Amino acid sequence: MSEQTQERGGAARRAVVVGAGMAGVQTAVALREQGFTGTVTLIGAEPHQPYDRPPLSKAVLLGKADGSAFDVDFAALGIELRLSCEVTGLRPADHELDTAEGPVPYDVLVLATGAEPIRLPGAEGVPGVHLLRTLDDAERLRPVLAEQHDIVVVGAGWIGAEFATAAREAGCAVTVVEAADRPLAGALPAEVAAPMAAWYADSGAELRTGARVDRIEPGAVVLDDGTRVPAGAVVVGIGARPATAWLAGSGVVLGVHGEVLADEHLRTSVPDVYAVGDCASFPSGRYEQRLLVHHWDNALQGPRTVAANIIGETPMAYDPVPYFWSEQFGRFVQYVGHHACADTTVWRGNPQGAAWAVCWLRAGRLVGLLAVGRPRDLAQGRRLIESGSPMDPELLADPSRPLKEATA
């Protein structure tokens, strides 16, 4: 904790959290739960009450829910909400945040601005082109699904697969175009992602891999080989990048992807400023590399560490086992850990079947696991990764044996 922070200690301290998504809301709540007695201000760019994002690609999109507002009584917790408030800059030397409504002073600041979708060049302003990141996005897409338009999804990543699933459930004809040679090319090794390509056809969606978009016209997506794919609507899901452009000139050091480079305590390069969630990377001692995790669980877990480090005298390190899930094409897909550092891959079950898993080991210890329809494997695998228990690959490969019994 810096001398500046200690001088500002006590009930008069002003905590400001930028970003009213999961990470921001949980940070504000955790500050109160852990006994922070100063003022807490939560700033959000959208007009809506803070809400959870995962339902947007499922229940909200299909009209099964009107929204997904967090069940938090901000007033009762003494958290001031400033909504429809765009943050435009940060001046650390003055301990002030610049917003469209004027400067906001802080004693401690938490950056939780999340990520924003990557836009397809040339698609700006073309009628019928959609993103799916916000509640407004989901509400614009809801009537598109209800009218059962022919839909083209650009990108076969997690969000593309989830949207294609919802669109098929709504009765739309769906074509997914992916520039890579397989779905989830940026997330999973080729041999693991390959079996997932069949899921599209099984659901009645068409997946076109190796298909690059040349341009989008009203009513059609034109591929670089000249193919025209009819499209009553287009949904672009080609990834997201940290929403940090507003930090230019602030002195907050960013990484190659635009992410805030936080330290192991989730502190930024400037005093009294922390960063958490999708907008920040952190050094993992467990995986011996810096991790940038764009998933819900990271936005849930990180705030507890931030709050503890703002309040406490002894800094806490943040080193979680990353976790996320995806519901697509009738399958529940879960992932835990980080496979990039693995030296051994072990399959559990037949990837052509309904339930299977992939385990990644490094030096005989489990470091990552993907489970399709095997939630028990996921739960046990998470504990085994945390404990660092040595594993027996032969026992691990037997899908009839509980994962926890495959230790060496």
Side-chain angles (χ1 to χ4, degrees):
M1 188 177 294
S2 73
E3 290 180 12
Q4 275 181 316
T5 303
Q6 289 174 336
E7 288 168 8
R8 295 185 174 86
R13 291 175 73 199
R14 299 162 297 184
V16 176
V17 182
V18 185
M22 170 63 82
V25 167
Q26 291 299 326
T27 298
V29 170
L31 281 168
R32 288 299 189 226
E33 288 180 341
Q34 296 183 30
F36 185 83
T37 55
T39 62
V40 177
T41 302
L42 180 62
I43 298 176
E46 295 182 53
H48 311 288
Q49 280 291 113
Y51 60 88
D52 203 6
R53 293 190 190 280
L56 298 185
S57 60
K58 307 172 184 71
V60 175
L61 194 59
L62 290 170
K64 298 177 181 178
D66 290 329
S68 54
F70 291 113
D71 185 17
V72 175
D73 189 335
F74 294 100
L77 289 171
I79 296 169
E80 179 194 2
L81 272 183
R82 294 193 188 180
L83 303 177
S84 298
C85 183
E86 184 182 354
V87 176
T88 56
L90 169 61
R91 289 176 285 110
D94 299 325
H95 274 70
E96 282 192 339
L97 196 64
D98 289 323
T99 79
E101 300 173 5
V104 177
Y106 67 85
D107 293 313
V108 62
L109 176 67
V110 181
L111 310 179
T113 46
E116 55 195 5
I118 296 172
R119 297 175 183 272
L120 192 66
E124 298 281 344
V126 178
V129 178
H130 299 263
L131 299 168
L132 180 52
R133 181 71 184 183
T134 68
L135 181 57
D136 288 342
D137 291 338
E139 289 179 346
R140 278 190 289 267
L141 276 163
R142 191 188 291 184
V144 173
L145 296 194
E147 292 162 16
Q148 298 187 335
H149 283 276
D150 289 350
I151 293 177
V152 174
V153 181
V154 182
W158 299 112
I159 194 68
E162 289 183 3
F163 178 80
T165 299
R168 285 298 301 139
E169 189 175 328
C172 301
V174 178
T175 302
V176 180
V177 296
E178 167 58 51
D181 61 355
R182 62 188 185 278
L184 295 168
L188 296 172
E191 70 274 14
V192 177
M196 299 176 176
W199 299 355
Y200 289 78
D202 290 347
S203 76
E206 180 183 359
L207 172 64
R208 298 191 183 188
T209 56
R212 294 186 175 276
V213 175
D214 179 68
R215 65 189 183 278
I216 298 178
E217 301 174 349
V221 173
V222 183
L223 305 180
D224 64 357
D225 65 358
T227 303
R228 295 174 61 84
V229 185
V234 178
V235 175
V236 178
I238 55 175
R241 60 167 62 94
T244 56
W246 65 278
L247 289 167
S250 69
V252 173
V253 176
L254 305 180
V256 294
H257 303 291
E259 79 280 15
V260 177
L261 296 181
D263 69 8
E264 68 272 22
H265 305 124
L266 298 181
R267 297 176 300 202
T268 72
S269 57
V270 302
D272 303 324
V273 180
Y274 294 77
V276 67
D278 289 6
C279 72
S281 66
F282 57 90
S284 169
R286 185 189 312 276
Y287 292 106
E288 299 177 345
Q289 59 185 272
R290 183 169 281 277
L291 299 182
L292 176 59
V293 181
H294 280 196
H295 295 300
W296 185 90
D297 192 64
N298 179 52
L300 176 67
Q301 304 293 341
R304 297 168 191 163
T305 300
V306 167
N309 288 338
I310 288 172
I311 295 167
E313 294 296 325
T314 305
M316 281 179 53
Y318 184 59
D319 196 8
V321 174
Y323 166 73
F324 76 91
W325 80 98
S326 176
E327 297 176 72
Q328 50 183 270
F329 308 117
R331 294 165 173 84
F332 188 41
V333 184
Q334 295 170 285
Y335 177 97
V336 67
H338 182 65
H339 69 268
C341 60
D343 54 39
T344 304
T345 302
V346 179
W347 291 78
R348 283 171 63 79
N350 180 0
Q352 310 307 320
W356 49 278
V358 181
C359 302
W360 288 279
L361 307 177
R362 181 181 65 189
R365 288 173 166 78
L366 193 65
V367 293
L369 183 143
L370 174 83
V372 177
R374 293 184 66 98
R376 186 172 297 176
D377 276 7
L378 191 289
Q380 294 180 8
R382 191 172 193 169
R383 289 193 288 270
L384 289 165
I385 293 171
E386 289 171 348
S387 68
S389 303
M391 306 298 295
D392 182 323
E394 287 190 19
L395 298 179
L396 201 59
D398 181 355
S400 67
R401 181 185 295 272
L403 205 68
K404 62 184 180 182
E405 294 179 9
T407 53

